[in-house]
Amino acid sequence: MLALGTPAPDFRLPDTLSDRVLGLAELRAEAATLVMFICNHCPYVKHVNAELVRLARDYQGLGVGFVAISSNDAAAYPEDAPAEMTATGRALGYSFPYLYDESQAVARAFDAACTPDFFLFDAGLRLAYRGRLDDSTPGNSRPVTGAELRAALDALLAGREVSERQQPSLGCSIKFRKR
């Protein structure tokens, strides 16, 4: 996992929702920037998609930038191909870019391990939080609240330190191509 305080790795990737190539420079926001590694096929992502939309709705107006990235091997997982990403992002009402990392270099630069995986950077693009959304999974009865990520966002917005007690994400492994 990336160490807290690590600068955000730079990237430029195609956005499946706007057909533009976007980079960290355009996507960073004044208060914080959240980079989410997600995909279409993973049941863990499907479980939290509505909360991702709510999070963006609740925090984008407060100076937080959101970006989702899919790094899965689309040849092996066709549901994660760019055209399917476009359809999913539009159907779910994503208000943030949904980028395709075909080379998988961005996932490797972030040490992203699974979907969903969350990386929250402060105004200076230093890593303040990496881990899970909350303690809900498709297999337990806990509600999806986004509590842990929301606490980190709220701390950053209030100028407080984000707690170093952070739990890693659980989900489907990123589907790296076989070399």
Side-chain angles (χ1 to χ4, degrees):
M1 289 176 42
L2 286 182
L4 295 176
T6 299
D10 198 15
F11 59 84
R12 288 193 63 73
L13 295 170
D15 177 21
T16 62
L17 299 176
S18 71
D19 292 325
R20 296 176 30 217
V21 174
L22 299 172
L24 185 59
E26 296 108 312
L27 297 169
R28 73 180 295 179
E30 184 179 322
T33 304
L34 179 65
V35 179
M36 308 175 285
F37 286 86
I38 65 172
C39 69
N40 289 350
H41 87 272
C42 174
Y44 287 82
V45 175
K46 291 177 180 180
H47 181 69
V48 302
N49 259 323
E51 179 60 18
L52 300 183
V53 171
R54 279 190 297 271
L55 268 172
R57 182 193 63 225
D58 293 348
Y59 287 92
Q60 282 176 318
L62 302 175
V64 178
F66 283 71
V67 59
I69 300 173
S70 179
S71 300
N72 280 352
D73 177 2
Y77 293 85
E79 192 177 343
D80 295 332
E84 297 298 322
M85 293 169 60
T86 303
T88 296
R90 289 185 177 149
L92 294 172
Y94 286 174
S95 61
F96 45 83
Y98 193 9
L99 309 181
Y100 182 50
D101 178 21
E102 183 176 14
S103 74
Q104 302 179 316
V106 176
R108 292 183 192 287
F110 276 77
D111 286 332
C114 64
T115 58
D117 210 354
F118 301 95
F119 296 83
L120 177 62
F121 295 90
D122 65 16
L125 290 179
R126 299 273 180 198
L127 186 62
Y129 179 86
R130 79 282 189 244
R132 67 187 187 183
L133 184 69
D134 58 32
D135 64 353
S136 179
T137 67
N140 69 26
S141 60
R142 295 182 185 119
V144 178
T145 63
E148 292 173 43
L149 184 52
R150 285 176 180 274
L153 283 159
D154 291 342
L156 276 183
L157 292 172
R160 298 188 319 267
E161 290 291 317
V162 175
S163 171
E164 290 186 13
R165 290 189 56 229
Q166 301 176 9
Q167 299 297 318
S169 285
L170 292 174
C172 300
S173 64
I174 291 181
K175 307 308 184 208
F176 288 104
R177 276 185 292 289
K178 308 281 189 255
R179 292 185 183 212

